[in-house]
Amino acid sequence: GAVVSQHPSWVICKSGTSVKIECRSLDFQATTMFWYRQFPKQSLMLMATSNEGSKATYEQGVEKDKFLINHASLTLSTLTVTSAHPEDSSFYICSASDRVGDTQYFGPGTRLTVL
Amino acid sequence: GQSLEQPSEVTAVEGAIVQINCTYQTSGFYGLSWYQQHDGGAPTFLSYNALDGLEETGRFSSFLSRSDSYGYLLLQELQMKDSASYFCAVSKGRRALTFGSGTRLQVQP
C-alpha cells in the first residue's frame, strides 16, 4: 500500500523558535496533502490543504503566517511552525492522496513539544 | 457548519461484537470513512462507504445510510488489540476529511 513518512517523529524546542516538519509520499505522487493537529484525547483537526505547486488553503482559525506550508513537489510537503509557543505543543499528522483515489494515506505523525 | 457525533466510549469483551454509530451533518457530503488510532499512533484507514449499504472487510464492516445521515462501524470477534479510538470522517469534496470526536473502545478479557 501507499506509504507516507514524516520527519521528525518527535521534536522538542524552545519557545520562540521555528520547527519544520516534513511529509513525504514514498511510492506515489501526492497531488494533495493535508495537515492535521491533534491535542491529547481529542479528534484530528484539519489545519490546511495543499496542492502541489499552489498556495495552501487554511481552515478557519488557523494562522497562515504562523503555520507555513509548502508543497513544492509531488512527494514533499513541509509545515513550519514559526515562533512556537507551548500552546503549539501537539501531535501533527499529515496525509496525502493521489490524483485517482478517495483514500488518504496518513503519515505516522510528529509530536511537537514546545518548552 | 459540519458536525459528526459518535459515542465517546464503548466497552466490550473479547470475542463479542460491537457497533459504533456515527451521525453527521455536513454540506458537500461525498462519503464516510472509518479510522482506527492506537494511543500515540497515526490513524489507520479501515473502510470507506460512498454508497448506501454494508461494506465488509474481514472482521470489520461499515454501513452507510445517506438518507438518515448515519453510519456505523461493526467489529466482530473482538480482540484485545482492537482497543483503540475509532473515528468516523466525512469527505468534504473529494478528499478532505472532517473527523468525528472519536470513540474509545476498550476490549476486556
Side-chain angles (χ1 to χ4, degrees):
Chain A
V3 177
V4 174
S5 70
Q6 280 184 241
H7 179 80
S9 56
W10 60 270
V11 57
I12 301 172
C13 69
K14 292 183 179 179
S15 187
T17 61
S18 293
V19 175
K20 180 185 283 188
I21 301 170
E22 293 185 349
C23 177
R24 292 181 186 273
S25 57
L26 298 185
D27 50 3
F28 68 101
Q29 292 187 329
T31 53
T32 307
M33 285 186 168
F34 305 86
W35 286 96
Y36 297 84
R37 180 167 54 181
Q38 185 179 34
F39 292 108
K41 299 192 185 304
Q42 294 188 24
S43 187
L44 285 80
M45 300 299 295
L46 179 65
M47 299 174 67
T49 303
S50 73
N51 293 295
E52 184 264 336
S54 61
K55 289 184 179 180
T57 302
Y58 289 80
E59 295 298 304
Q60 195 172 6
V62 178
E63 300 173 59
K64 58 181 69 176
D65 293 331
K66 180 170 180 63
F67 298 99
L68 302 178
I69 292 172
N70 183 282
H71 191 167
S73 78
L74 284 171
T75 59
L76 174 65
S77 175
T78 60
L79 167 67
T80 301
V81 183
T82 63
S83 187
H85 290 285
E87 56 264 33
D88 298 324
S89 298
S90 187
F91 194 44
Y92 290 86
I93 305 171
C94 74
S95 71
S97 63
D98 61 18
R99 286 188 180 87
V100 177
D102 292 312
T103 302
Q104 291 183 249
Y105 304 96
F106 283 82
T110 297
R111 189 161 301 281
L112 169 64
T113 302
V114 184
L115 302 177
Chain B
Q2 299 147 39
S3 67
L4 296 95
E5 289 194 14
Q6 309 177 229
S8 58
E9 276 192 35
V10 173
T11 302
V13 296
E14 265 188 303
I17 299 172
V18 71
Q19 178 173 314
I20 299 174
N21 298 321
C22 174
T23 57
Y24 59 87
Q25 283 187 315
T26 184
S27 59
F29 179 81
Y30 190 82
L32 192 71
S33 301
W34 287 92
Y35 290 83
Q36 178 191 63
Q37 186 182 31
H38 286 98
D39 286 345
T44 303
F45 173 78
L46 292 177
S47 70
Y48 175 69
N49 294 68
L51 302 175
D52 290 355
L54 192 68
E55 293 280 341
E56 297 180 71
T57 309
R59 294 187 298 114
F60 295 169
S61 303
S62 58
F63 172 83
L64 175 65
S65 169
R66 288 174 297 174
S67 59
D68 296 323
S69 298
Y70 162 77
Y72 66 72
L73 178 70
L74 192 72
L75 297 85
Q76 303 182 70
E77 299 173 20
L78 281 176
Q79 302 175 9
M80 296 298 290
K81 67 179 182 179
D82 297 330
S83 293
S85 292
Y86 292 84
F87 295 90
C88 59
V90 169
S91 292
K92 176 185 173 184
R94 193 164 172 84
R95 293 159 179 162
L97 300 179
T98 302
F99 283 83
S101 54
T103 298
R104 191 167 186 84
L105 171 64
Q106 272 197 309
V107 180
Q108 296 177 339

